[in-house]
Amino acid sequence: MPTVRDVREQAGEEPITMLTAYDAPTAEIVDDAGVDIILVGDSVGNVVLGHETTVPVTVDGIAHHVGAVSRATDDALVVADMPFLSFGVDESESIENAGRMLKEEGAQAVKLESGPHTVDLTEKMVQLGIPVMAHLGLTPQHVNQYGGYPRQGTDQAAAERMLELAIEHEEAGAFSLVLEHVPSNVAAEITEALDIPTIGIGAGPNCDGQVLVFDDAVGISEWTPSFSEQFGNVRTEMESAVDDYVDAVESGTFPAEEHSHEESDLEDLY
């Protein structure tokens, strides 16, 4: 299993692969494929639980999924995504929530949607033994502030501030940085400026690694962001399998003789 130090040392050396997973079967598939990092994302809210955003995800909810993924993972580094208002409000509560993901649910690190309010918190968590993955650019927990999911860092001041925050989080001890939905040239400059690896999603090819939502990558989602890519068509296969099941039951071809067992020693029940 890679450690956070291993991931940190991949910066500029070997591309980092990261995918989300929210349950044990998915985690097994991702882990067996040799993916470096599994992110138990708060994207579980809109990908799995039917919410429109990630905001409703709770600490108990994310812990439930982190435990399932951790129990099924042998090789990848498991990172727990800390949900909305689980951090950054009260320091002791933030640390307790993050520590729970390692101590009780088996994650090896947490991810914080970062800003000026998470620099000192990142340093404190790292001092206490909680590795932190920072996250800048589009931070989906701010959807109500953004009014959607717009690209970030598109003007000079915003790009410069993002670079400053990236450096501040590196200095605070973050072992890596997710850059989401930012111009590729901004991501490239931030990557060049840091010693820790950047992991991009909608941030171009010049980051040290890439992350996608599992359902987008394998083709389960009906809709995917423009910066994503479907590397399979699992949704069509699932639909076909369910259609075939319904047809088999309705036509009487399932269950067949090989799917049943008759106990010959039983007497008539009445």
Side-chain angles (χ1 to χ4, degrees), residues 27-55:
E28 288 177 358
I29 292 169
V30 174
D31 195 37
D32 288 347
V35 169
D36 296 311
I37 303 171
I38 296 178
L39 173 65
V40 189
D42 66 351
S43 49
V44 68
N46 44 346
V47 173
V48 175
L49 301 179
H51 298 298
E52 291 187 2
T53 72
T54 65
V55 171

Side-chain angles (χ1 to χ4, degrees), residues 53-222:
T53 72
T54 65
V55 171
V57 177
T58 65
V59 175
D60 286 344
I62 203 73
H64 175 80
H65 293 278
V66 171
V69 168
S70 296
R71 289 189 291 272
T73 302
D74 293 324
D75 297 319
L77 185 79
V78 176
V79 177
D81 204 0
M82 298 307 299
F84 182 60
L85 294 185
S86 68
F87 64 96
V89 180
D90 176 81
E91 183 180 271
S92 61
E93 185 176 349
S94 301
I95 292 168
E96 182 178 358
N97 289 336
R100 173 182 174 185
M101 301 304 158
L102 277 66
K103 188 173 183 177
E104 298 180 14
E105 305 302 340
Q108 287 83 48
V110 299
K111 181 175 77 65
L112 306 181
E113 290 196 5
S114 306
H117 62 297
T118 59
V119 175
D120 291 342
L121 179 59
T122 295
E123 183 173 14
K124 184 65 173 179
M125 285 187 177
V126 172
Q127 288 173 347
L128 290 170
I130 305 172
V132 174
M133 174 182 284
H135 179 169
L136 293 171
L138 176 64
T139 47
Q141 291 172 15
H142 288 77
V143 60
N144 291 311
Q145 180 177 331
Y146 295 146
Y149 300 100
R151 183 178 289 109
Q152 300 295 303
T154 56
D155 62 67
Q156 191 70 30
E160 289 177 356
R161 183 56 181 144
M162 195 182 303
L163 173 59
E164 291 171 1
L165 282 170
I167 293 171
E168 289 174 11
H169 281 85
E170 178 181 50
E171 292 174 346
F175 74 93
S176 58
L177 169 68
V178 170
L179 290 171
E180 180 170 357
H181 205 24
V182 303
S184 59
N185 53 325
V186 172
E189 290 197 35
I190 292 174
T191 301
E192 181 65 26
L194 300 181
D195 290 327
I196 61 173
T198 60
I199 301 173
I201 177 168
N206 295 312
C207 295
D208 295 299
Q210 298 292 328
V211 58
L212 284 178
V213 170
F214 177 85
D215 296 56
D216 294 344
V218 302
I220 297 177
S221 305
E222 283 191 288

Side-chain angles (χ1 to χ4, degrees), residues 241-258:
V242 173
D243 286 343
D244 289 347
Y245 164 74
V246 171
D247 290 343
V249 172
E250 291 179 345
S251 67
T253 59
F254 178 83
E257 185 176 349
E258 64 266 25

